[in-house]
Amino acid sequence: MKEIIAYFSMEIGLGAEVPTYSGGLGILAGDTLRAAADLGAPVVAVTLLNRKGYFHQTLTLDGTQEERPVLWEPSRHLQELPQRVAVEVFGRRVLLRLWTFEVLGIGGRSVPVYFLDSNLPENDHKDQGLTDHLYGGDAHYRLSQEIILGIGGVRALKALGYHQVRRYHMNEGHSSLLTLELLADRMRSAGRHYVTADDERTIRRQCVFTTHTPVEAGHDQFDWAVAAAVIARMELDSIKDKLCHQDRLNMTHLALHFSGYTNGVSKKHGEVSRMLLNRSNIDAITNGVHAATWVADSMQRVFDQYCPGWRQDNMLLRRQVLDIAAQEIWKAHLETKRHLLSLVEERADVKLDERIFTIGFARRSTAYKRNDLVFDDLDALKRIAQKAGAFQLVFAGKAHPRDEAGKQMIRRVIEAMGRLKGDLRAVYLPNYDIALGKAITAGCDLWLNNPQPPLEASGTSGMKAALNGVPSLSTLDGWWLEGCFEGLTGWAIGSGEATSDHETERARDAASLYQKLEKVIIPAFYENGGRKYWNVMRQAIAINGSYFNAQRMLQEYVAKAYFCEAPDAPQAPQAIRSIKTPDPRMLSRSLSN
Ligand SMILES: *Cc1c(COP(=O)(O)O)cnc(C)c1O
């Protein structure tokens, strides 16, 4: 059997009907696999079944988020396999069943995804639910899931007959326990009870790691004592002095320690990660989205006509889109916009006007993304609508069930929308998922994004928008530092320069947002029949759509992480320190330029 790349991810977004993802990380994983299938790359993926999905969001009138499990029937979408593997959790044996799904590429090749599922009658009752909830439960639950994903995943690949794994790719630290299983294998076959330097070197040649966020909460840590009790593996004890920091086991440090190649997900995030994780050798591969998945049907028809072959080679969009009459782009966009507006009417019973400038914002509701920023000054919004031209707002986004601040922010957004009634139309669509994500990124006229720099590692929804000819208005963070050409592909909020404190920065960003809308963007949309705006739309596709796609991203992974020679000189172990969400004041924009 040929050599494979084994891609491990706690969540994978395969489609709205397989609800095993929560957001950006899972969708990126899905897009990566779709690009791998297109390219015919020998990738296989491992994830958890997440039998109860993430959650279905409904909103009460005052904006309170209500959550219920998404019941889906795995057997309708996946195929069960006969193999079984077992892992030890808390000293109990947990048997896992396996399911598979084929991600089909445009050339007819495919990439298999293997789902691990603990729902078997042989298992202790509570263990049967271990693969039910994505990011649910307490630390024990999470750790148990990570044992299943990391250790169970390696065993599953073996049981499935994959004996030659060229690289294990840890998509975020959730799967980093896989390194312990690889160590154990080596120790077992050598009949040793201790880890040698050569073991560690060998594992490093096999493993690559992608870190996805500078936010502390994204780096799982467990009390060492708890981890040791749950995992109960001698490999863990033998590396304790190298990995244990303040009596915690940090999954990011574990992944870093055993990876020969590590990357962040935008140039800026690479730099931030080098500081945050105290390592000089963290590279950057900027994210991308799967073009054929995210481009709306009407725009696909235009691309098919003018850029035949664009699905096989996204780079074709770079030159050929500029030859399309801007009005053609606009006509295709208008069709997509109508689709979004009909969805708004159907789901929220709000009638929006297709002639009016429409601003979209859909994002997980969490503090650093500042979902409510545009509502900081409602009078300013009303004034802009009167003076510069009418606009309407379409919002969406879930808050993690335990993120109270995020839930509060949804309430604030909905309350502000209520207060704008009569002056401008605004709507919050519940249950942001892949299908809604596609409709909203393609159907708005402007994609708004205003995270607090430098906390957005990359962001990908603006890339989906760009591929559909929708320019961004965004703070200079993540991918936008690479994709923003002012007035050509979209516009920047603020200068990216850090100020003294969050409050000042927020006020300054809000002012900049209002100023750009009023003086630059809305006039471009309405003046001269919108021709200036159409040009920006076309350039967003040509300049950004041709680059910020999963095809280019995957080719970078192939070249830098999968098929290059493994580094001979392993990463020198460096001092372990706590991972703390970076203080924006320490990071000026000059870092990235
Ligand atoms: C693209 C997408 C995301 C990630 O977008 P960001 O810009 O990284 O926030 C999250 N959820 C859904 C449903 C998406 O389609």
Side-chain angles (χ1 to χ4, degrees):
M1 194 173 233
K2 65 180 178 185
E3 274 197 322
I4 56 149
I5 307 299
Y7 185 87
F8 280 66
S9 186
M10 186 62 109
E11 51 171 311
I12 301 183
L14 295 169
E17 68 293 346
V18 183
T20 64
Y21 64 94
S22 84
L25 182 70
I27 289 175
L28 180 87
D31 280 353
T32 303
L33 300 177
R34 285 181 274 273
D38 291 348
L39 198 70
V43 175
V44 309
V46 179
T47 188
L48 300 188
L49 187 69
N50 302 320
R51 198 172 268 277
K52 306 239 163 103
Y54 188 50
F55 68 89
H56 187 280
Q57 177 199 50
T58 49
L59 296 167
T60 65
L61 282 177
D62 73 345
T64 302
Q65 167 175 297
E66 290 177 340
E67 300 130 19
R68 54 188 165 80
V70 192
L71 295 172
W72 65 295
E73 190 42 67
S75 62
R76 284 190 46 203
H77 304 280
L78 316 179
Q79 196 189 338
E80 190 173 0
L81 296 168
Q83 290 86 351
R84 298 267 194 272
V85 292
V87 290
E88 291 249 319
V89 179
F90 281 108
R92 294 191 305 272
R93 183 168 182 272
V94 177
L95 197 63
L96 301 170
R97 67 206 269 204
L98 307 177
W99 301 79
T100 185
F101 179 95
E102 292 284 321
V103 177
L104 256 187
I106 42 180
R109 286 174 294 206
S110 66
V111 157
V113 180
Y114 297 106
F115 293 81
L116 302 165
D117 176 15
S118 69
N119 187 302
L120 279 173
E122 292 90 329
N123 288 332
D124 198 286
H125 182 69
K126 62 176 174 296
D127 294 336
Q128 293 181 19
L130 284 178
T131 53
D132 277 355
H133 298 282
L134 177 59
Y135 306 136
D138 56 9
H140 281 157
Y141 189 79
R142 176 68 77 94
L143 195 51
S144 308
Q145 289 194 325
E146 296 191 7
I147 291 172
I148 293 175
L149 178 65
I151 296 172
V154 170
R155 293 180 184 172
L157 291 178
K158 241 182 278 168
L160 291 163
Y162 296 105
H163 295 297
Q164 288 195 58
V165 179
R166 183 175 173 89
R167 293 288 188 276
Y168 291 89
H169 185 170
M170 293 172 266
N171 186 45
E172 198 47 291
H174 309 124
S175 55
S176 59
L177 291 174
L178 72 83
T179 58
L180 297 187
E181 179 68 3
L182 300 180
L183 266 185
D185 271 352
R186 278 185 65 81
M187 289 158 68
R188 243 190 320 261
S189 58
R192 274 190 273 103
H193 294 288
Y194 54 91
V195 177
T196 64
D198 191 48
D199 290 337
E200 294 185 54
R201 258 197 303 276
T202 306
I203 308 300
R204 281 190 196 112
R205 283 198 205 102
Q206 290 180 286
C207 292
V208 301
F209 168 50
T210 303
T211 175
H212 284 270
T213 180
V215 176
E216 219 169 302
H219 301 265
D220 282 340
Q221 338 185 358
F222 302 99
D223 275 337
W224 189 278
V226 174
V230 179
I231 305 172
R233 310 267 300 220
M234 61 190 166
E235 313 86 66
L236 192 58
D237 293 333
S238 61
I239 52 176
K240 177 169 184 195
D241 50 331
K242 288 184 196 156
L243 275 178
C244 185
H245 178 65
Q246 293 175 343
D247 262 338
R248 318 273 292 165
L249 171 63
N250 185 310
M251 294 307 186
T252 299
H253 287 311
L254 179 60
L256 281 169
H257 183 75
F258 282 111
S259 292
Y261 176 84
T262 300
N263 70 289
V265 291
S266 69
K267 299 271 189 282
K268 173 81 168 192
H269 179 235
E271 287 172 54
V272 171
S273 298
R274 289 192 283 277
M275 271 181 62
L276 182 75
L277 305 174
N278 195 23
R279 303 245 166 181
S280 57
N281 53 356
I282 297 177
D283 197 13
I285 295 179
T286 302
N287 282 165
V289 298
H290 187 255
T293 298
W294 294 103
V295 175
D297 293 346
S298 56
M299 198 62 81
Q300 295 214 11
R301 285 193 290 273
V302 173
F303 293 173
D304 284 339
Q305 187 179 347
Y306 295 96
C307 324
W310 66 277
R311 289 186 188 81
Q312 286 75 13
D313 183 1
N314 297 168
M315 204 82 89
L316 289 177
L317 298 172
R318 179 181 154 274
R319 178 66 185 83
Q320 297 180 6
V321 163
L322 294 176
D323 286 339
I324 306 174
Q327 189 163 12
E328 290 268 320
I329 305 271
W330 174 253
K331 268 181 12 209
H333 173 69
L334 197 56
E335 221 178 303
T336 315
K337 186 172 180 179
R338 287 187 188 127
H339 170 66
L340 173 65
L341 299 194
S342 67
L343 203 104
V344 167
E345 190 167 358
E346 185 187 305
R347 292 202 188 172
D349 202 19
V350 173
K351 214 165 161 40
L352 300 181
D353 186 334
E354 71 178 42
R355 291 164 304 177
I356 292 182
F357 185 57
T358 303
I359 302 174
F361 185 107
R363 224 150 255 111
R364 179 161 58 94
S365 186
T366 195
Y368 83 87
K369 293 193 184 243
R370 304 189 298 189
N371 303 44
D372 54 346
L373 182 78
V374 71
F375 302 105
D376 275 10
D377 185 347
L378 300 183
D379 291 331
L381 285 183
K382 294 178 198 170
R383 192 195 66 233
I384 295 168
Q386 277 165 13
K387 281 173 60 182
F391 62 92
Q392 51 201 7
L393 299 162
V394 182
F395 268 60
K398 297 174 180 174
H400 185 279
R402 279 193 304 271
D403 184 351
E404 281 311 320
K407 291 182 176 180
Q408 191 57 40
M409 197 154 60
I410 296 177
R411 273 187 220 108
R412 276 201 304 279
V413 168
I414 287 179
E415 193 243 346
M417 287 178 165
R419 285 201 280 146
L420 287 169
K421 252 201 183 108
D423 292 293
L424 55 100
R425 281 174 242 183
V427 59
Y428 200 108
L429 295 174
N431 204 39
Y432 182 38
D433 66 2
I434 287 183
L436 181 55
K438 183 165 176 178
I440 197 170
T441 51
C444 298
D445 300 314
L446 179 74
W447 194 245
L448 179 65
N449 181 40
N450 41 238
Q452 157 88 60
L455 301 183
E456 184 78 293
S458 167
T460 52
S461 54
M463 302 175 184
K464 300 167 194 166
L467 267 161
N468 282 287
V470 175
S472 284
L473 169 61
S474 170
T475 39
L476 287 163
D477 201 12
W479 83 281
W480 195 232
L481 279 161
E482 296 162 57
C484 178
F485 298 91
E486 184 75 13
L488 288 180
T489 57
W491 300 270
I493 297 171
S495 61
E497 221 67 64
T499 47
S500 50
D501 61 82
H502 289 275
E503 298 312 309
T504 317
E505 193 160 359
R506 185 176 175 115
R508 199 195 55 181
D509 285 348
S512 166
L513 194 172
Y514 296 140
Q515 190 265 339
K516 287 274 163 81
L517 277 180
E518 177 174 358
K519 304 289 184 209
V520 184
I521 304 173
I522 297 178
F525 184 82
Y526 286 114
E527 279 165 25
N528 201 5
R531 278 177 184 73
K532 199 162 159 191
Y533 204 84
W534 299 351
N535 261 327
V536 179
M537 295 178 70
R538 192 167 53 176
Q539 281 153 191
I541 303 171
I543 298 174
N544 284 344
S546 67
Y547 182 80
F548 294 100
N549 56 68
Q551 191 173 74
R552 185 270 312 150
M553 171 182 70
L554 187 78
Q555 285 164 355
E556 282 195 52
Y557 278 105
V558 165
K560 296 172 164 186
Y562 297 164
F563 286 98
C564 55
E565 278 306 300
D568 285 335
Q571 298 195 323
Q574 288 172 36
I576 303 240
R577 63 182 191 206
S578 310
I579 299 174
K580 291 256 178 285
T581 302
D583 182 334
R585 277 163 286 186
M586 291 163 47
L587 295 143
S588 71
R589 184 172 176 208
S590 63
L591 257 179
S592 62
N593 286 344

